[in-house]
Amino acid sequence: MAFPSPVVMLSVIAVAMASITFVATRDQAPTERRVDTATIASADQSPSVDPAPADPKPEAKPEPQVKRGEVYVEVFNNSGIKGLAATTAAKATQVGWAVVGEDNWYGVIPTTTVYFPPRLQAAGKQLALDLGIKRTSPAVGVMKRDRLTVILTTDAPQ
């Protein structure tokens, strides 16, 4: 019995990983809801019957500070636009992120995304803000769990 060639096996593995990445990175249904501002405005204008002093507002929990220079970032180009990963990596470096690599990404990614491991979620959101990227998502597949992964598509901010 003859075994398939290594190229065939690698192709099958690549297709499987691309499928897993596609399924894991699909957009989820929006969780936002519409707020009727007219109702809020009329509630604010209604006279108060009880002139009791207002309860002091609880202090908001401070957002964790992200130390950009202590977080590794890899930038991948999935757009076909030559030099996009290098340009974006340079922008990230200019604002203080520790960019440790840039390359091309092979697979299907629906839109430009910053992927983060669970412990770096706040950093992932900050990096997305810094670069003008609208989508963040938990890391999937072969992405390293000690860094942020940016995958750029044709809709990447330039």
Side-chain angles (χ1 to χ4, degrees):
M1 178 172 164
F3 290 104
S5 75
V7 172
V8 171
M9 293 303 293
L10 287 173
S11 298
V12 169
I13 291 170
V15 168
M17 291 303 295
S19 299
I20 290 169
T21 302
F22 175 74
V23 169
T25 60
R26 284 189 298 185
D27 285 337
Q28 297 175 353
T31 57
E32 296 136 4
R33 61 187 175 137
R34 186 178 181 98
V35 176
D36 185 11
T37 55
T39 304
I40 294 171
S42 65
D44 288 343
Q45 295 174 1
S46 61
S48 174
V49 176
D50 183 17
D55 292 332
K57 293 181 181 178
E59 291 186 30
K61 184 178 178 183
E63 290 292 319
Q65 285 284 43
V66 175
K67 297 183 179 176
R68 290 176 178 90
E70 296 177 8
V71 179
Y72 294 142
V73 176
E74 286 185 315
V75 181
F76 293 94
N77 187 353
N78 188 234
S79 71
I81 300 170
K82 187 174 178 117
L84 185 58
T87 304
T88 303
K91 286 179 191 174
T93 301
Q94 285 174 350
V95 294
W97 293 96
V99 177
V100 295
E102 57 188 67
D103 204 348
N104 291 319
W105 183 268
Y106 299 99
V108 179
I109 303 298
T111 187
T112 297
T113 307
V114 175
Y115 293 92
F116 56 84
R119 69 179 184 84
L120 294 175
Q121 182 173 1
K125 293 189 181 299
Q126 183 61 54
L127 177 61
L129 283 172
D130 289 349
L131 297 178
I133 296 172
K134 295 179 177 125
R135 183 172 185 254
T136 61
S137 181
V140 295
V142 297
M143 294 176 187
K144 296 177 181 167
R145 303 296 188 228
D146 67 338
R147 63 196 62 193
L148 302 174
T149 303
V150 179
I151 301 181
L152 305 163
T153 62
T154 55
D155 67 347
Q158 295 186 25

